[in-house]
Amino acid sequence: LIWATTSRGGFAENCEKVVDNETCILGEGTCHLDWPGELVIPEKRQMMCPSVALTADRFVMKSDSTISTKSTIKIHARTMTFNKCVLTSGSTFLREKDHSACEGIQVMNTELIVQHKLVMKCQDGTVNVTGKSALQAGSNMSLRAKFVSFPDFYVKLFGGRINISAEQLHLGASMGGTPDLVAMAQYEATLGWLGGTWTLGS
């Protein structure tokens, strides 16, 4: 583990590697970190944590990596990318950093499984869920963004209550009669229109 100074004047420990004074490859066993640049969880990293709190400008979780905690996962960043990963927790909160603008949350071929509450909030940007992704929340699931997109393939949402709020909602065209989005709520599911346009594929 090393101590690194970034080009933005911030500092952090517990980086396994730092690239160009900007990108921190998260050190093994590090569950709490505030990094001013890009924070990356590398491929095939298995994280077992009492709780998780990660803050960065950009957050990337690479393929075949997992985060598991019985408590809370909090990830705050301007952009977030999850590619072929698994996150399991009591509750998970993915949202903008320090109430600043959020550009996007990308979830690809990823499972987000929480016992209680799942919140994905990107007020000024896009929540994009694609591939064979599954979002599962024991109680409440809330997706709130300017643009929410389920563009293709087969996405599954399961929750006690599901709330999706967006100015623009896009569901991609179905292939061979297979639904792109399957949403199952134990109690209620709400689609909240924030005044934009919704596009439903064929």
Side-chain angles (χ1 to χ4, degrees), residues 117-140:
K117 184 180 290 187
L118 171 62
V119 175
M120 299 171 65
K121 183 172 178 286
C122 190
Q123 194 72 28
D124 304 309
T126 299
V127 170
N128 187 61
V129 184
T130 187
K132 294 182 179 179
S133 292
L135 279 57
Q136 181 174 328
S139 57
N140 293 350

Side-chain angles (χ1 to χ4, degrees), residues 20-178:
D20 297 331
N21 280 342
E22 180 70 20
T23 299
C24 168
I25 309 300
L26 192 68
E28 195 161 358
T30 300
C31 302
H32 292 244
L33 186 59
D34 189 338
W35 182 258
E38 181 180 53
L39 184 60
V40 177
I41 295 178
E43 293 181 0
K44 299 181 179 179
R45 173 61 52 84
Q46 310 295 313
M47 295 178 61
M48 303 284 290
C49 301
S51 64
V52 175
L54 301 172
T55 300
D57 183 60
R58 301 177 308 283
F59 177 85
V60 178
M61 189 170 177
K62 295 194 173 182
S63 62
D64 300 316
S65 55
T66 64
I67 298 177
S68 180
T69 176
K70 292 182 179 180
S71 183
T72 302
I73 296 173
K74 293 181 180 180
I75 300 174
H76 294 182
R78 181 170 54 84
T79 65
M80 288 173 247
T81 303
F82 302 88
N83 186 13
K84 198 182 174 184
C85 342
V86 177
L87 291 83
T88 60
S89 67
S91 293
T92 291
F93 301 89
L94 310 176
R95 58 190 309 162
E96 60 270 17
K97 177 184 178 183
D98 300 329
H99 306 290
S100 60
C102 171
E103 292 185 9
I105 302 173
Q106 304 287 330
V107 178
M108 299 170 286
N109 298 301
T110 289
E111 294 183 13
L112 296 174
I113 302 170
V114 304
Q115 288 184 322
H116 304 296
K117 184 180 290 187
L118 171 62
V119 175
M120 299 171 65
K121 183 172 178 286
C122 190
Q123 194 72 28
D124 304 309
T126 299
V127 170
N128 187 61
V129 184
T130 187
K132 294 182 179 179
S133 292
L135 279 57
Q136 181 174 328
S139 57
N140 293 350
M141 179 189 302
S142 175
L143 279 62
R144 185 178 180 90
K146 186 172 184 178
F147 187 77
V148 174
S149 177
F150 303 95
D152 54 13
F153 297 106
Y154 187 71
V155 174
K156 293 181 287 186
L157 307 181
F158 300 102
R161 290 180 171 85
I162 298 174
N163 186 297
I164 301 173
S165 299
E167 286 185 23
Q168 298 182 55
L169 174 67
H170 174 66
L171 302 181
S174 300
M175 300 295 290
T178 301

Side-chain angles (χ1 to χ4, degrees), residues 191-202:
L191 295 177
W193 184 50
L194 301 179
T197 58
W198 286 15
T199 304
L200 305 181
S202 59

